[in-house]
Amino acid sequence: MNDDPALTTAVIERKATKRKLPKSRLVVEDGPQKGTRLDIASERMTIGRSGICDLQLTDDGVSGTHCEIVAKEMGFLLQDLGSKNGTWVAGVRVEEAWLEAGMPLRIGNTVIRFEHASGTIEIDLSRREQFYDLVGHGVRMREIFAVLEKVAASDLTVLVRGETGTGKELVARAIHRASKRSQRPLVVQDCSAIPANLIESILFGHERGSFTGAADRKRGCFEVADGGTLFLDEICELDIGLQPKLLRVLETREVQRVGGTRMIPVDVRVVAATNRDLRQMVNEGTFREDLYYRLSVVQVDLPPLRERPEDIPGLAHQFLEESAKRGAHHGEETHFTITRDAMTKLQAYPWPGNVRELKNTIERAVSLADGPELGMHDLLPASQKTPPVIFPGGTAEQFVDNEIPFKDAKQRVVDAFEAQYLKAVLDKHGDNISRSARAAGLTRYHLRELAKRYGLRGETNGPDDED
């Protein structure tokens, strides 16, 4: 690990205004592109054969998106992206490794040296600690706010990446509200919630009689959002056969209804979101590379809540205020507080459900608390109190009784199942990532990221991780 942090912060009037990234570079020392040099000019840089990579290689032994280098406070972290032939550092195959100056890494038949360069790259931080409904006073979120402030005024397509519950829809809503389209419609469509045989009709519309049950002509999401913004949530769930049609609409700004012959012009700004790594899906052939290009003109990566514990007090107090306002609306206004010990423990909890889980925890505590001061016995996440109940088990009535929206209720069930399944498969295979991934039908990279999300493993490999 580097002695000096990869990122330093410039401070004015006790408030950070910029992050400074020391310049570094990659030098290809051996392989088909020997002699190639590339400066690392951003916090995240990918290496692979695909055109979506920052360092594109022609080596046949390299995967489409093979690995990436991420600048963190502690240094530069190399991460394998589920490559076929692995990423090697000093002769050892690694999932992750901290890079030192002069350190060689090998991918396929290519050897690359990581080295420092002179100078720094400055990354702007917003002075805001809230961007519409997004809250965060730490540098991670204020860096995102600075990007959103700039991009909102444009019509650029935005791809938002982040785990479930990190606030991807809030990003889309903030972009829309800050844009010149704010007086026009914002249409939200969850691609994972549409049956495969209906998604084309829902996105692009259909003509009367175009299929069984099409009794009337119907406009699709693009037409409804004309002049405004269309938010396509969980774009990773879009069927590979429909992806070329979406790409064509994004390029031509015209839609053709199912069963129709006329091309209908649409003026729509698209924001897409995913909780999966689309680069990995491009590698696997389940997501089109050209569509990824078109969607990720600007990319916003939302950090999980466990990586920004400094923001938990602000978020918790916001949710307390919202609960108090709802109570006042019903004539039962109470101002709640959280004890210092409870807040410390909230900051230490990994929050697999991220901000959504924190919000649900606060709302449940407010509803069930005996007094206005909330302690840890009030706030302990339900997942740590009792084992989660998975369907079948009669939990639907509980969700309805507590007025939890369908999407949030469904996500709680999915999250609980994922956590239980992953724990069971890792326990069965002795925490061996490779064997567990094969048994689950997942890539090692995907399983490892899911396990980290639910706090089931540390960031180091388990015993005998390579077979």
Side-chain angles (χ1 to χ4, degrees), residues 21-38:
L21 172 66
K23 286 186 178 179
S24 300
R25 69 170 60 96
L26 298 177
V27 180
V28 180
E29 292 193 320
D30 196 10
Q33 287 161 278
K34 183 177 179 179
T36 299
R37 303 164 70 88
L38 180 68

Side-chain angles (χ1 to χ4, degrees), residues 255-276:
V255 297
Q256 184 178 5
R257 295 176 184 148
V258 177
T261 57
R262 183 169 64 96
M263 301 303 295
I264 303 169
V266 289
D267 173 23
V268 176
R269 198 251 186 92
V270 173
V271 179
T274 176
N275 63 3
R276 295 184 59 189

Side-chain angles (χ1 to χ4, degrees), residues 191 203-204 222 230 232 235 238 241-252 254 270 272 287 291 294-295:
C191 296
L203 289 180
F204 309 133
F222 276 90
L230 174 59
L232 297 176
I235 192 69
L238 191 65
L242 192 59
Q243 291 177 22
K245 296 181 180 180
L246 175 59
L247 177 62
R248 186 165 59 249
V249 172
L250 294 176
E251 291 178 339
T252 65
E254 293 180 326
V270 173
F287 202 87
L291 180 57
R294 193 65 187 80
L295 291 172

Side-chain angles (χ1 to χ4, degrees), residues 236-461:
C236 54
E237 301 296 334
L238 191 65
D239 185 81
I240 188 74
L242 192 59
Q243 291 177 22
K245 296 181 180 180
L246 175 59
L247 177 62
R248 186 165 59 249
V249 172
L250 294 176
E251 291 178 339
T252 65
R253 300 293 168 176
E254 293 180 326
V255 297
Q256 184 178 5
R257 295 176 184 148
V258 177
T261 57
R262 183 169 64 96
M263 301 303 295
I264 303 169
V266 289
D267 173 23
V268 176
R269 198 251 186 92
V270 173
V271 179
T274 176
N275 63 3
R276 295 184 59 189
D277 191 338
L278 294 187
R279 301 167 303 176
Q280 178 70 17
M281 294 182 67
V282 170
N283 265 358
E284 297 166 352
T286 56
F287 202 87
R288 290 178 62 102
E289 183 176 307
D290 47 6
L291 180 57
Y292 177 86
Y293 268 129
R294 193 65 187 80
L295 291 172
S296 60
V297 177
V298 176
Q299 186 163 299
V300 176
D301 292 308
L302 289 177
L305 189 56
R306 63 180 174 274
E307 292 183 6
R308 54 184 189 108
E310 69 277 5
D311 289 334
I312 288 177
L315 287 165
H317 289 304
Q318 179 194 28
F319 299 145
L320 286 176
E321 289 178 5
E322 291 174 358
S323 297
K325 289 178 182 177
R326 283 194 295 273
H329 181 71
H330 292 93
E332 301 175 353
E333 183 173 3
T334 303
H335 294 285
F336 289 89
T337 59
I338 299 175
T339 66
R340 181 178 298 180
D341 180 60
M343 186 64 75
T344 299
K345 291 180 179 176
L346 290 181
Q347 289 182 277
Y349 179 66
W351 298 107
N354 292 294
V355 179
R356 180 184 293 134
E357 184 184 0
L358 174 62
K359 182 177 182 180
N360 292 338
T361 296
I362 297 294
E363 290 178 348
R364 183 184 62 251
V366 167
S367 298
L368 302 177
D370 296 325
E373 187 176 70
L374 304 179
M376 203 56 209
H377 63 284
D378 300 302
L379 290 162
L380 186 67
S383 59
Q384 287 197 352
K385 288 181 178 178
T386 57
V389 181
I390 304 298
F391 279 103
T395 59
E397 291 80 4
Q398 299 172 27
F399 291 138
V400 173
D401 290 344
N402 291 318
E403 298 183 350
I404 298 171
F406 171 80
K407 184 177 179 181
D408 289 348
K410 175 185 173 183
Q411 193 59 56
R412 287 196 195 185
V413 174
V414 171
D415 289 345
F417 167 77
E418 285 187 353
Q420 287 189 5
Y421 181 94
L422 291 168
K423 183 178 186 306
V425 76
L426 285 166
D427 287 347
K428 180 178 180 180
H429 296 284
D431 273 353
N432 184 292
I433 284 287
S434 298
R435 289 198 294 269
S436 298
R438 282 197 295 271
L442 301 171
T443 64
R444 294 197 327 276
Y445 175 77
H446 191 195
L447 187 140
R448 181 169 55 84
E449 291 301 303
L450 286 172
K452 285 165 59 179
R453 176 191 304 179
Y454 293 108
L456 299 177
R457 288 172 52 90
E459 296 193 6
T460 57
N461 290 336

Side-chain angles (χ1 to χ4, degrees), residues 36 110 123 153 193 197 202 323 327 352 392 411:
T36 299
T110 298
I123 302 168
N197 62 326
I202 288 174
S323 297
Q411 193 59 56

Side-chain angles (χ1 to χ4, degrees), residues 80-226:
D80 184 83
L81 296 177
S83 65
K84 182 178 180 181
N85 294 326
T87 300
W88 300 75
V89 175
V92 178
R93 184 170 180 170
V94 299
E95 293 282 351
E96 294 182 346
W98 293 98
L99 294 177
E100 302 279 359
M103 182 178 284
L105 54 130
R106 178 173 64 81
I107 59 174
N109 300 307
T110 298
V111 177
I112 302 170
R113 186 177 74 254
F114 170 81
E115 60 183 36
H116 292 316
S118 60
T120 60
I121 297 167
E122 293 189 344
I123 302 168
D124 290 333
L125 301 178
S126 172
R127 289 184 173 273
R128 304 189 191 197
E129 295 187 353
Q130 182 165 356
F131 190 72
Y132 295 92
D133 293 330
L134 294 162
V135 175
H137 72 267
V139 293
R140 295 285 299 276
M141 290 304 293
R142 291 198 295 111
E143 182 181 334
I144 290 172
F145 295 166
V147 172
L148 297 181
E149 289 166 0
K150 293 176 182 178
V151 78
S154 72
D155 279 332
L156 295 175
T157 303
V158 180
L159 177 65
V160 187
R161 294 198 318 168
E163 294 178 5
T164 298
T166 48
K168 298 186 289 295
E169 184 173 331
L170 294 182
V171 171
R173 292 186 179 278
I175 289 173
H176 178 73
R177 291 170 66 183
S179 75
K180 60 187 178 183
R181 298 173 177 268
S182 59
Q183 301 306 309
R184 300 292 294 166
L186 168 65
V187 176
V188 177
Q189 183 57 63
D190 184 352
C191 296
S192 68
I194 313 173
N197 62 326
L198 292 180
I199 192 165
E200 184 174 2
S201 167
I202 288 174
L203 289 180
F204 309 133
H206 64 253
E207 297 291 349
R208 179 179 180 181
S210 56
F211 54 85
T212 302
D216 297 295
R217 171 185 293 173
K218 183 178 180 180
R219 295 188 305 158
C221 292
F222 276 90
E223 287 186 76
V224 175
D226 190 38

